[in-house]
Amino acid sequence: MEYQSIQEANEAVTQQILESQPFLLDVVPAKDVISELDGKVLLHAGPPIKWENMTHPMQGSCIGATLFEGWADNEDDAKKMLESGEIKFVPCHSVDAVGPMGGITSANMPVVIVENKVNGKRAYCNLNEGIGAVLRFGAYNDEVINRLKWMKDILGPALSKALKQIDGGMNVNVTVAKAITMGDEFHQRNIAASALFLKDIVPYLLTADLPEKELQEVTQFLADTDQFFLNIMMATGKVVMDSAAEIEEGSVITALSRNGDEFGIKVSGLGDQWFTAPVNTPDGLYFSGYSTDDANPDMGDSAITEAYGVGGMAMIAAPGVTRFVGTGGFNDAVETSDEMREICVGNNPNLSIPTWDFQGACLGIDIRKVVETGITPVINTGIAHKTAGIGQIGAGTVRVPLECFEKALEALAEKYGVEVE
């Protein structure tokens, strides 16, 4: 082992996180940067999964993507293609990408490119569709498909023209450092970061030589989409944690994700291996008329934000959503973030949280501490209806299954040939 101890390795891993310099460079069709999207291929969230094991919302997203790509003309034909195996599935995480909820991404969907300037690594994520009937929650009606086509033809190219005018790209660290002091935790709440992004991108949209109608549509969409920055943050979390994973030792979490069937984690000292357990169903607040009985098991790559140390790990930063962690609201949020700190290597001084007495956000989830304490990471999440097409029915939190960490710790002990302490 290159390092004298696992603790020393963990410090090297977290130093990679602290030193990362993520920049938003461009928005391009997914097929331009992900070579695996060279045929009838769909990316999905979480560990590998087969069509028959997908929950209805993820299957609905696959149907929608198949219709969007023009591989099928109607729902029945799309289902036949998916059921027959004609369409191949690849985890987003396997191709330097992440995707929210179902995570379904196809060749012609626009994705953001975020690069870590320290090492040149890049990561990708599709664009946020807004709220209501959206593909990521399993909807695939005409409204959804038409929006996806507009994003491909208008929104993506407009953002690309704007970003290419920014020398070196947009510094994501600057936006995140500002927004965490303005009430964002970057999973459930991205209002401040989305507003900052809009403020920063509009001057470049104005000089991008866009038709007036397109300029109006794009700026209105960005103004209306409070969660737009989430997908930028997801790509940021991915490229930062992939950079941390270059230290192939230690016990720090480098990925958290779920596909509606399994929750999976990756660990710095264990390479690209997934350690999985059955996924939980979120607890939270439901829209009028819905309850836990309607909820789909948790899914999405967006838990990369918690791996990075924000999201549910930094609930204290977002008073506007603290009721999701309990009836006590803000006090519960303090207790939750204090609890999350117990299972981490340290704090991130780059992400100072005023409501946490200016402590930095959590840094480096240590699987050893998780197993020792029994404390598992809290994930902020949207709640999808278990039936495809209905969409989001609430929001709340979910815990990572302890079994994932127990399996990983066992593998780590086997790797080092000693009991891991």
Side-chain angles (χ1 to χ4, degrees):
M1 185 169 66
E2 179 182 350
Y3 299 94
Q4 294 299 311
S5 67
I6 288 180
Q7 185 59 35
E8 184 179 324
N10 287 348
E11 290 173 1
V13 173
T14 53
Q15 192 62 32
Q16 289 281 87
I17 298 172
L18 293 175
E19 293 177 357
S20 291
Q21 296 292 326
F23 279 72
L24 174 61
L25 298 185
D26 204 351
V27 174
V28 300
K31 63 184 179 183
D32 288 2
V33 288
I34 301 172
S35 60
E36 287 78 3
L37 293 174
D38 59 352
K40 293 177 182 175
V41 179
L42 295 177
L43 308 184
H44 67 77
I49 190 171
K50 297 179 180 179
W51 166 262
E52 56 267 28
N53 295 327
M54 293 180 180
T55 59
H56 285 178
M58 186 179 283
Q59 289 185 342
S61 296
C62 292
I63 292 169
T66 300
L67 296 172
F68 163 75
E69 289 293 340
W71 299 335
D73 295 327
N74 57 67
E75 178 182 343
D76 289 341
D77 287 348
K79 283 182 179 178
K80 289 176 183 177
M81 294 177 70
L82 292 158
E83 290 169 353
S84 69
E86 186 176 347
I87 295 173
K88 180 183 176 183
F89 299 110
V90 176
C92 292
H93 268 287
S94 297
V95 293
D96 301 323
V98 279
M101 298 308 291
I104 304 304
T105 306
S106 63
N108 289 293
M109 292 181 185
V111 296
V112 298
I113 300 176
V114 176
E115 179 180 280
N116 183 358
K117 294 288 188 179
V118 173
N119 56 18
K121 276 187 174 292
R122 292 185 173 188
Y124 318 105
C125 185
N126 56 11
L127 298 181
N128 194 282
E129 306 161 78
I131 59 174
V134 291
L135 188 78
R136 68 182 183 275
F137 282 100
Y140 53 89
N141 59 25
D142 288 345
E143 175 190 354
V144 174
I145 304 304
N146 289 335
R147 184 190 303 113
L148 290 173
K149 290 178 178 177
W150 174 82
M151 294 172 75
K152 171 179 70 76
D153 296 334
I154 305 300
L155 179 61
L159 291 174
S160 178
K161 289 178 180 178
L163 287 166
K164 285 177 178 176
Q165 298 179 64
I166 305 175
D167 186 25
M170 185 180 290
N171 191 328
V172 181
N173 277 349
V174 171
T175 302
V176 172
K178 290 177 181 177
I180 202 167
T181 70
M182 299 166 69
D184 280 357
E185 40 70 60
F186 306 106
H187 194 165
Q188 196 65 255
R189 189 181 194 275
N190 283 276
I191 297 174
S194 297
L196 290 169
F197 174 77
L198 177 63
K199 176 183 75 69
D200 290 340
I201 202 70
V202 161
Y204 298 101
L205 287 171
L206 292 173
T207 56
D209 195 28
L210 300 174
E212 184 176 347
K213 182 175 183 293
E214 292 184 8
L215 177 62
Q216 190 279 328
E217 289 177 350
V218 168
T219 54
Q220 189 65 58
F221 180 83
L222 294 175
D224 290 342
T225 308
D226 290 343
Q227 282 285 75
F228 190 82
F229 192 82
L230 169 61
N231 299 50
I232 299 171
M233 190 66 198
M234 288 174 59
T236 298
K238 172 66 173 170
V239 78
V240 170
M241 299 316 295
D242 278 0
S243 297
E246 290 186 327
I247 307 294
E248 298 178 356
E249 302 289 348
S251 57
V252 173
I253 290 295
T254 55
L256 298 169
S257 190
R258 55 271 204 249
N259 59 24
D261 182 43
E262 293 182 314
F263 205 118
I265 71 172
K266 292 185 180 183
V267 182
S268 59
L270 297 170
D272 201 39
Q273 184 177 357
W274 286 107
F275 297 90
T276 64
V279 74
N280 297 318
T281 299
D283 293 320
L285 302 178
Y286 289 85
F287 302 157
S288 179
Y290 298 105
S291 69
T292 304
D293 292 338
D294 303 306
N296 193 72
D298 199 31
M299 58 182 181
D301 290 330
S302 52
I304 193 68
T305 56
E306 277 80 12
Y308 181 56
V310 291
M313 304 292 291
M315 181 68 88
I316 186 60
V321 294
T322 53
R323 292 298 297 272
F324 290 137
V325 297
T327 57
F330 188 76
N331 290 335
D332 280 350
V334 175
E335 292 178 6
T336 298
S337 289
D338 286 345
E339 182 185 47
M340 293 301 98
R341 176 61 184 82
E342 292 184 43
I343 58 173
C344 291
V345 174
N347 293 81
N348 188 335
N350 300 326
L351 299 176
S352 179
I353 303 174
T355 47
W356 206 19
D357 198 23
F358 292 93
Q359 292 185 87
C362 291
L363 175 66
I365 301 170
D366 187 340
I367 65 168
R368 300 174 304 166
K369 293 184 178 183
V370 172
V371 175
E372 178 186 355
T373 63
I375 298 170
T376 53
V378 173
I379 310 297
N380 282 352
T381 186
I383 304 174
H385 196 284
K386 60 187 178 184
T387 302
I390 295 177
Q392 185 175 6
I393 60 171
T397 61
V398 69
R399 292 270 184 168
V400 184
L402 181 61
E403 184 181 347
C404 295
F405 299 94
E406 292 172 337
K407 288 179 178 179
L409 190 62
E410 183 178 341
L412 204 65
E414 183 177 344
K415 172 181 176 176
Y416 291 128
V418 295
E419 183 176 353
V420 178
E421 298 180 352

